[in-house]
Amino acid sequence: MASATADTATTAVQPIEILVKAASGEPDRLGDCPFSQRVLLTLEEKGIPYNAKYVDTANKPDWFLEANPEGKVPVIKYEGKWVADSDVITKILEETYPQSSLVTPEDKASIGSKIFSSFVKFLKSKDPSDGSEEALVEELKTLNEYLKTNGPFINGDKISAVDLSLAPKLYHLKVALAHYKNWSIPEDLTNLQNYIKLVHSRESFENTKAPEYVVIKGWSTHLA
């Protein structure tokens, strides 16, 4: 169970049960799933107590498949039933625990939404001329320009749900591309660089991130 970081009156709230990915080969350590971290960040930022249980997603136990037959994490128990999908879960958490609101205005909710898929394509690419690197850089430049006039967070001065979705993905991007491609985000994207430092230095992020070596090992299975 993690301690909540938000200053909210949640002492009487029953801890949320959440199933998240375990580190490969380390069943008692938090794994590298950015979608699991997104939900954990939401719980932390809202000050909602929770009990996290780690799941070996490479060898899914029967009890987990009974909770979620699709075999995906994260999963939370809500009103006596198991609920999957980070989009669905974070919406439920916002509606059920409106304190410390993380609502992102609709016109800003899709900012940076193409970065993760662009990152994965570049990471997996074996052809340096396929344009995947350039496509990723363009997405990063777009976010950098947006932050220049709208930052420091996506929704201005207040952290919101879209930041909690982007922060884990940017962490994976930085760690995996540095290791597997010897690549880093261009230094001249200063607004983006500052944004990453801002979101990754929050206590909620420190409490919920997987170690870098776990992220690297996690991506190795996708690159074999």
Side-chain angles (χ1 to χ4, degrees):
M1 176 178 167
S3 59
T5 58
D7 184 16
T8 53
T10 57
T11 54
V13 176
Q14 279 290 104
I16 295 282
E17 291 185 64
I18 179 169
L19 309 179
V20 295
K21 183 181 180 181
S24 177
E26 298 182 71
D28 296 323
R29 182 182 289 279
L30 177 64
D32 58 301
C33 173
F35 306 100
S36 292
Q37 189 183 10
R38 175 191 181 188
V39 175
L40 293 174
L41 282 168
T42 302
L43 292 164
E44 289 268 341
E45 289 287 343
K46 281 185 165 293
I48 304 168
Y50 61 89
N51 288 319
K53 189 169 186 177
Y54 303 147
V55 178
D56 180 356
T57 54
N59 300 284
K60 299 173 180 121
D62 290 340
W63 61 262
F64 171 63
L65 292 173
E66 289 176 8
N68 182 23
E70 290 188 1
K72 296 179 180 179
V73 288
V75 187
I76 68 164
K77 182 165 277 189
Y78 176 70
E79 295 184 344
K81 297 180 180 180
W82 291 106
V83 178
D85 190 300
S86 62
D87 285 338
V88 175
I89 293 170
T90 52
K91 183 178 180 181
I92 287 173
L93 292 176
E94 186 61 50
E95 291 174 351
T96 308
Y97 306 94
Q99 72 273 8
S100 300
S101 174
L102 294 169
V103 173
T104 304
E106 190 173 339
D107 63 328
K108 299 178 180 180
S110 63
I111 299 295
S113 61
K114 296 180 181 178
I115 287 175
F116 192 67
S117 59
S118 298
F119 145 63
V120 174
K121 185 174 182 179
F122 175 44
L123 179 65
K124 292 182 175 181
S125 172
K126 297 180 180 180
D127 179 2
S129 64
D130 67 0
S132 58
E133 179 180 3
E134 291 80 4
L136 173 59
V137 171
E138 281 305 308
E139 292 299 330
L140 295 175
K141 283 182 177 178
T142 298
L143 179 55
N144 183 72
E145 283 302 305
Y146 174 86
L147 291 166
K148 183 177 180 179
T149 54
N150 295 278
F153 297 107
I154 299 299
N155 191 30
D157 292 331
K158 189 176 184 301
I159 196 167
S160 67
V162 67
D163 301 298
L164 305 188
S165 178
L166 265 176
K169 296 170 183 175
L170 290 168
Y171 179 60
H172 278 245
L173 182 156
K174 285 189 65 178
V175 172
L177 290 180
H179 180 80
Y180 290 108
K181 295 275 193 179
N182 193 29
W183 190 93
S184 59
I185 295 172
E187 292 184 6
D188 61 344
L189 301 183
T190 53
N191 303 298
L192 176 57
Q193 296 281 7
N194 291 336
Y195 173 74
I196 291 172
K197 290 176 184 176
L198 180 66
V199 292
H200 287 179
S201 65
R202 292 181 74 85
E203 184 179 356
S204 61
F205 195 88
E206 289 293 329
N207 288 344
T208 59
K209 73 176 183 179
E212 290 191 7
Y213 79 87
V214 172
V215 174
I216 291 167
K217 188 175 182 179
W219 280 105
S220 68
T221 61
H222 299 283
L223 302 175

